[in-house]
Amino acid sequence: MGRSIREGFRVANRSWIGMGFVAACWIIIGLIALGVVLLTKPPAELFQPAPAPAEEVTAPTAAPTAETTPPDAKGIDVFAQLGTAETAAPSAQEQEAASPPRADAATSAREQAERHRRVIGEWFGRSWPVLVLCALFLIAASIWLYGGQIGYLAKRVTSQHASVSEFWVEGTRAFWALLGASLLGVLLFGGGVLGIVLIAAVGSAMSSATPQWLLVLLGVVFYAAAFGGWIWLGVRLVFWFVAIVGDRVGPLAGFQASFRATRGRWWRAFGLVVLFVLIALGFWLPFGLLEAIGNLAGGQAALVAGLVSQVGSSVANLYVGFVSLAGFIRFYEDTKAPQTSAG
């Protein structure tokens, strides 16, 4: 693992041109996708928060009435009392003008919320084909660029030299194989989720005839086994795309190659994954703290800190991506060395 990590940093430190190419490609891809979305003329409500739901309208409390005088009171001027009552008790029209009814405010809030949902729904209804095409474009572009990145770094690891043209050559050559592997991965993930749902449904059907403590125990064991199985399979397939691009094979052959590379080396591969995750967290932590401090300060400091944090974390993620991918390629190439020497 140590050699893989050192090789990852060494290759990444010599691949700044490749990082710049990847960043430029993502900027262009993002601008194209944004331009396509803007052609659909999205409404302003899409970029605004939904109005708060209307509060429950309560019945208005009755206005206090003027205090009546007991009939046995003496020495009271009736005309003075009438004049005081006229000045103390405003008319119903004056009360309505002074405080608008809460029912009108609640109705207005409901109408705004309904209009917000209706406008966004109408936009999605007429623009969904363009949005689907835009999503497919983003998926295809990411697969192509990732295949090119693997090919570029594989050249750096094996021959120490690589040109930016490797992105185009390797990304184009391996595109369909990587696309097939992506679809196969989606099917595997979907099948696993479907299996979990079916087993959960069976457990729910058995709940009436099974003790509660046994159901809880079975649920804990089942979900722990499912989580462990996903981790095991994820580590076994960590070299799937690397094998497709590096060995120039198809999706199934790359699948088998990744299983061969991790046979007897599962814990080493798992440790490598954990170390790269920790390295990524270490690079992200300073920018996360900077953004948190800016949010506490508020005002202009929060805006500047947020901008610096976003730019810095994006650069750090790009660098760590090159480091980890180069390290995985080095590890995979080392697993093939005994086979080559034996042959």
Side-chain angles (χ1 to χ4, degrees):
M1 290 189 297
R3 183 187 180 190
S4 299
I5 294 175
R6 290 193 302 270
E7 185 76 1
F9 277 102
R10 184 191 67 81
V11 171
N13 291 334
R14 297 182 180 182
S15 302
W16 292 105
I17 295 177
M19 294 182 201
F21 179 82
V22 172
C25 286
W26 274 119
I27 291 174
I28 295 172
I29 293 168
L31 290 176
I32 293 174
L34 179 61
V36 172
V37 172
L38 291 178
L39 288 177
T40 63
K41 297 181 180 180
E45 286 80 1
L46 186 66
F47 309 100
Q48 297 173 356
E55 297 179 356
E56 187 70 22
V57 181
T58 57
T61 57
T65 58
E67 184 178 358
T68 58
T69 306
D72 59 347
K74 298 181 179 179
I76 298 178
D77 190 350
V78 177
F79 296 99
Q81 183 180 0
L82 291 174
T84 304
E86 290 178 359
T87 57
S91 64
Q93 291 81 2
E94 292 176 348
Q95 292 180 4
E96 185 176 356
S99 58
R102 291 180 62 188
D104 293 343
T107 303
S108 177
R110 282 197 301 269
E111 290 176 351
Q112 291 179 2
E114 292 175 359
R115 181 181 180 278
H116 188 272
R117 290 192 296 268
R118 184 179 68 255
V119 170
I120 294 179
E122 291 175 353
W123 175 72
F124 274 112
R126 69 173 184 269
S127 304
W128 70 266
V130 178
L131 298 178
V132 170
L133 289 176
C134 188
L136 294 176
F137 166 73
L138 290 175
I139 294 173
S142 62
I143 292 175
W144 173 82
L145 191 57
Y146 188 60
Q149 184 178 349
I150 295 175
Y152 174 84
L153 290 176
K155 286 282 187 179
R156 284 282 183 184
V157 170
T158 56
S159 63
Q160 312 299 323
H161 299 287
S163 62
V164 177
S165 61
E166 295 294 334
F167 282 92
W168 175 263
V169 174
E170 296 297 331
T172 304
R173 182 192 57 78
F175 174 79
W176 293 109
L178 293 176
L179 179 61
S182 301
L183 294 176
L184 184 57
V186 171
L187 290 177
L188 287 173
F189 179 78
V193 172
L194 181 61
I196 292 175
V197 171
L198 290 177
I199 294 177
V202 172
S204 178
M206 296 171 52
S207 59
S208 59
T210 307
Q212 187 66 26
W213 65 268
L214 182 58
L215 284 177
V216 173
L217 179 61
L218 291 176
V220 171
V221 172
F222 168 71
Y223 284 109
F227 182 71
W230 281 116
I231 293 178
W232 176 84
L233 183 61
V235 174
R236 294 302 300 266
L237 297 179
V238 73
F239 304 111
W240 192 2
F241 283 17
V242 171
I244 289 175
V245 179
D247 297 344
R248 301 190 174 190
V249 295
L252 295 179
F255 187 97
Q256 296 170 352
S258 183
F259 263 71
R260 284 195 303 269
T262 53
R263 184 181 297 128
R265 306 179 184 90
W266 190 93
W267 285 107
R268 291 176 57 194
F270 176 74
L272 187 64
V273 172
V274 171
L275 285 176
F276 280 133
V277 170
L278 294 177
I279 290 172
L281 290 176
F283 273 86
W284 171 85
L285 185 60
F287 301 105
L289 292 176
L290 176 62
E291 186 172 3
I293 294 172
N295 292 334
L296 290 176
Q300 195 71 18
L303 181 62
V304 174
L307 181 61
V308 173
S309 176
Q310 290 296 324
V311 174
S313 60
S314 298
V315 176
N317 289 335
L318 182 62
Y319 176 76
V320 173
F322 269 67
V323 171
S324 58
L325 188 53
F328 285 131
I329 293 172
R330 177 74 275 167
F331 189 99
Y332 179 72
E333 294 295 329
D334 288 343
T335 63
K336 297 191 300 181
Q339 300 175 6
T340 304
S341 60

